Amino acid sequence: MKLSIYPVVFSLILTAFSCNDRRSLREEANKRQADSLEQLKKAEEAERIRPRTAADIKLTKELAFDKYTLGDEYTYQDSTRVFQWDKIKEKLAFVDNFQRKNKHYAVLQNYKNRNGEAPVVANFIRNAYKRVSDTLGTERYQSVPLYKEGNEDVPTRYGRDGSLVELLSSDTVTMIKIAGLSFEGNWEVPKRYVKTIGDTVMFNQVIVVDVTNQNICTMERSEEASWRILSMNPATSGMHKPPYSMETPTGIFVLQEKKPKMLYLKDGTHTIQGYAPYANRFTNGGYIHGVPTQRPDAPMIEYSASLGTTPRSHMCVRNASSHAKFIYEWAKTLQSLIIVID
């Protein structure tokens, strides 16, 4: 009996088509998987480089100093005061963002005009204290002249002592190019006013002073966009009382130096009136310190009923002396930021 080969051939053809179909399906599945992985990588990269916002910042309370702790909201006289966490998160997001790229940091310095009195700016005014300032209100005394790029004749404005900046040029030249991090714009500054911090420092310690609500909090970064709240305390900032007392200026400053006792003079004299313990200087003569004494030989005062009430300091930020000590021992010089908000 003669067998037909057609069924066999047909079966082989079906098998071939079936193998080709399976191969095509596998290839299509592999392509979809590869495309999905590529999209995932792109999404992850986009998320990695995306600027952080206040909504991204996570705050966790892990109090390391637990005396005189204030609530998120609390009563003062007939009003309610708060810690402005939304505004604080905006500042922390800003700190996180500018540290995501390698930068060479520096701090502007001219405490007590030690690096030379700044020249008069092109457009100056006499402020409420009868002293020369720029049109934005920054005084000439203890400040740094900021020149427009290419114009070294007359400065345009002043930069506050203690301001954090980014170096844009080598620090071996006479005039250094900087970008403001606590103020806007790119500027040129004489080298003698600029102290280089470096490109490896991380600002993981932040102290926020609120001059509206008269409080202070300390925070430490645990990872990007995640910060631990270490203390929440009453504070007293500077008052407007010419010619000696000035408001604590708002902005972002670097902790520049520490003094176990900061001696201060009686207004209008060269006589030492007393001292403030555990002083942490951040701008001009502005310190975060403990309760001041009225005599240089007086014992340290721990607390004052005026803390957290109304501004009454000369420019400084008064704290309970034990809280000032906590900051003194915890915060690292030239590696910690003081952010003053209103």
Side-chain angles (χ1 to χ4, degrees):
M1 181 177 177
K2 188 175 180 181
L3 298 174
S4 172
I5 65 170
Y6 293 112
V8 176
V9 173
F10 185 69
S11 177
L12 290 174
I13 292 172
L14 288 177
T15 301
F17 276 120
S18 178
C19 290
N20 288 336
D21 289 344
R22 286 197 294 271
R23 187 180 301 113
S24 296
L25 290 172
R26 284 198 300 271
E27 291 174 352
E28 183 64 26
N30 290 338
K31 184 176 184 303
R32 285 199 300 269
Q33 185 179 23
D35 289 344
S36 296
L37 290 173
E38 183 63 24
Q39 290 175 0
L40 180 61
K41 288 180 180 178
K42 289 181 178 180
E44 289 176 344
E45 177 62 15
E47 174 61 21
R48 187 185 69 80
I49 65 175
R50 176 182 63 81
R52 298 298 178 246
T53 67
D56 297 309
I57 300 298
K58 179 182 178 182
L59 297 179
T60 305
K61 290 182 184 178
E62 297 181 19
L63 299 183
F65 181 87
D66 58 2
K67 294 181 181 179
Y68 320 114
T69 302
L70 298 171
D72 294 330
E73 294 186 3
Y74 55 96
T75 300
Y76 171 68
Q77 295 183 347
D78 58 351
S79 64
T80 298
R81 288 187 171 176
V82 299
F83 282 87
Q84 300 185 71
W85 295 125
D86 288 342
K87 185 178 288 189
I88 291 171
K89 286 180 178 180
E90 290 177 2
K91 300 298 184 182
L92 294 178
F94 178 75
V95 171
D96 273 340
N97 284 330
F98 73 64
Q99 295 193 92
R100 300 177 78 188
K101 296 181 180 179
N102 292 330
K103 296 180 185 294
H104 289 260
Y105 297 106
V107 57
L108 301 183
Q109 291 190 328
N110 198 23
Y111 178 50
K112 294 185 177 179
N113 283 352
R114 287 176 179 173
N115 296 319
E117 185 177 36
V120 177
V121 293
N123 297 306
F124 71 91
I125 61 174
R126 294 280 179 181
N127 63 15
Y129 300 88
K130 307 301 181 183
R131 295 191 284 261
V132 170
S133 72
D134 62 22
T135 55
L136 298 177
T138 303
E139 284 195 357
R140 177 189 187 191
Y141 178 59
Q142 300 190 94
S143 289
V144 172
L146 303 179
Y147 296 82
K148 288 184 178 179
E149 294 184 72
N151 183 1
E152 299 177 11
D153 296 329
V154 181
T156 300
R157 56 170 293 189
Y158 296 120
R160 291 190 184 278
D161 171 82
S163 296
L164 178 67
V165 298
E166 177 188 0
L167 284 182
L168 300 179
S169 66
S170 170
D171 61 357
T172 61
V173 295
T174 303
M175 295 291 288
I176 297 176
K177 292 182 180 180
I178 64 162
L181 291 173
S182 53
F183 54 88
E184 294 183 352
N186 294 347
W187 305 91
E188 291 190 352
V189 180
K191 177 183 177 180
R192 66 182 181 274
Y193 296 107
V194 181
K195 179 178 180 59
T196 301
I197 299 176
D199 60 352
T200 60
V201 63
M202 290 297 294
F203 299 103
N204 293 327
Q205 298 171 314
V206 170
I207 303 159
V208 178
V209 176
D210 185 336
V211 297
T212 297
N213 290 280
Q214 295 292 286
N215 59 43
I216 184 171
C217 60
T218 60
M219 285 166 290
E220 189 167 78
R221 187 210 311 263
S222 52
E223 57 183 284
E224 184 180 337
S226 183
W227 295 75
R228 300 193 303 270
I229 301 169
L230 303 183
S231 65
M232 299 166 56
N233 278 76
T236 300
S237 62
M239 69 183 300
H240 178 85
K241 189 178 180 181
Y244 302 111
S245 296
M246 300 181 66
E247 304 93 328
T248 305
T250 58
I252 300 177
F253 305 98
V254 179
L255 173 58
Q256 297 187 71
E257 65 172 321
K258 302 179 183 183
K259 296 179 180 179
K261 283 187 176 183
M262 187 270 288
L263 300 175
Y264 69 94
L265 304 177
K266 183 177 181 180
D267 288 344
T269 75
H270 296 288
T271 302
I272 296 175
Q273 179 167 339
Y275 70 88
Y278 304 111
N280 307 272
R281 190 174 71 82
F282 59 97
T283 185
N284 297 2
Y287 293 78
I288 295 174
H289 60 63
V291 180
T293 67
Q294 295 301 307
R295 302 192 323 273
D297 59 346
M300 187 175 68
I301 302 170
E302 163 61 3
Y303 197 81
S304 168
S306 66
L307 292 175
T309 59
T310 58
R312 59 188 62 216
S313 177
H314 282 63
M315 180 191 283
C316 297
V317 180
R318 298 179 186 177
N319 289 239
S321 292
S322 55
H323 188 248
K325 181 182 180 182
F326 166 74
I327 293 174
Y328 185 90
E329 295 176 344
W330 162 75
K332 298 176 182 177
T333 306
L334 298 179
Q335 297 181 53
S336 304
L337 297 179
I338 289 85
I339 301 177
V340 182
I341 63 175
D342 55 16

